[in-house]
């Protein structure tokens, strides 16, 4: 068993963390000249540093590039690569493809949801795990499958879920 209850989409940064985050953001921005063509590279770098694009970063990036916050927010939400809320450190992907579905993929997903206490698209409150579903991971012969970070687990059973989750946690 791992954790319960999900991070809400409305989660905000704790104020005591913001000072540190602002310092790190200033460092990130200092590597750029302030040209609006740098928007995507800056968003990518911010996500690399923080693990997501915090709301305060959108405001600071907008000021830095002389763009409106709406513009920056629009770009950050347009591209799926950018996450606007904190995401779990270990990414768990459960396959929902046809081959996995007919071999009990739904049971695997339910077990993962139960053990992590979250639904697809959510992260655990301690940000250890994020849960996603995928259409096919390309290992249909091993169905049902799931992936924890870069490790693929095939011929999954509900009993093997706990082991896969804990291995993923140690693997990072
Ligand atoms: S359908 Fe699950 S791996 Fe292809």
């Amino acid at each position: 068993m791992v954790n319960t209850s999900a991070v809400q989409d409305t989660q905000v940064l704790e104020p005591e963390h913001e000072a540190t985050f602002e310092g790190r953001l200033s460092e990130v921005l200092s590597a750029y000249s302030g040209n609006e063509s740098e928007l995507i590279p800056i968003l990518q770098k911010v996500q690399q540093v923080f693990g997501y694009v915090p709301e305060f970063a959108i405001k600071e990036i907008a000021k830095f590039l002389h763009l409106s916050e709406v513009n920056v927010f629009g770009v950050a939400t347009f591209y799926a690569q950018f996450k606007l809320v904190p995401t779990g450190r270990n990414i768990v992907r459960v396959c929902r493809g046809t081959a996995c579905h007919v071999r009990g993929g739904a049971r695997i997903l339910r077990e993962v949801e139960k053990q992590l206490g979250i639904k697809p698209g959510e992260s655990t409150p301690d940000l250890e795990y994020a849960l996603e579903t995928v259409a096919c991971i390309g290992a249909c012969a091993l169905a049902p499958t799931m992936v924890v970070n870069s490790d693929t687990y095939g011929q999954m059973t509900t009993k093997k879920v706990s082991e896969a989750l804990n291995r993923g946690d140690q693997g990072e």
Side-chain angles (χ1 to χ4, degrees):
M1 284 287 177
V2 188
N3 284 302
T4 56
S5 80
V7 168
Q8 301 300 310
D9 281 352
T10 52
Q11 176 173 351
V12 293
L13 292 169
E14 295 297 328
E16 65 265 28
H17 293 153
E18 284 200 21
T20 318
F21 276 26
E22 279 169 10
R24 290 167 70 195
L25 179 62
S26 296
E27 259 176 57
V28 169
L29 294 179
S30 69
Y32 297 89
S33 64
N35 188 299
E36 67 179 76
S37 65
E38 296 171 318
L39 175 55
I40 294 212
I42 288 174
L43 287 170
Q44 287 169 330
K45 186 67 184 176
V46 165
Q47 178 151 293
Q48 187 190 328
V49 169
F50 296 99
Y52 72 111
V53 181
E55 189 181 331
F56 82 87
I58 290 193
K59 291 181 185 163
E60 293 304 313
I61 293 168
K63 267 192 237 164
F64 181 69
L65 297 179
H66 306 290
L67 294 171
S68 73
E69 287 175 28
V70 172
N71 274 354
V72 176
F73 184 76
V75 171
T77 51
F78 179 78
Y79 293 101
Q81 65 175 296
F82 297 121
K83 298 184 186 306
L84 301 181
V85 292
T87 301
R89 192 168 60 90
N90 295 291
I91 310 293
V92 180
R93 296 184 174 93
V94 179
C95 184
R96 266 184 162 160
T98 305
C100 289
H101 178 74
V102 298
R103 293 188 198 167
R107 276 199 306 275
I108 303 304
L109 179 59
R110 276 198 303 274
E111 183 64 21
V112 173
E113 288 175 344
K114 190 173 120 194
Q115 292 203 20
L116 296 181
I118 56 177
K119 298 283 183 193
E122 296 177 342
S123 293
T124 54
D126 60 3
L127 298 181
E128 279 299 307
Y129 293 92
L131 176 58
E132 298 174 358
T133 57
V134 289
C136 175
I137 65 164
C140 306
L142 299 176
T145 63
M146 64 181 275
V147 178
V148 182
N149 299 320
S150 55
D151 295 328
T152 301
Y153 297 89
Q155 298 177 328
M156 284 301 296
T157 62
T158 52
K159 286 188 177 153
K160 287 159 82 177
V161 165
S162 173
E163 189 188 344
L165 291 175
N166 289 325
R167 270 203 206 147
D169 188 33
Q170 287 160 13
E172 282 293 289

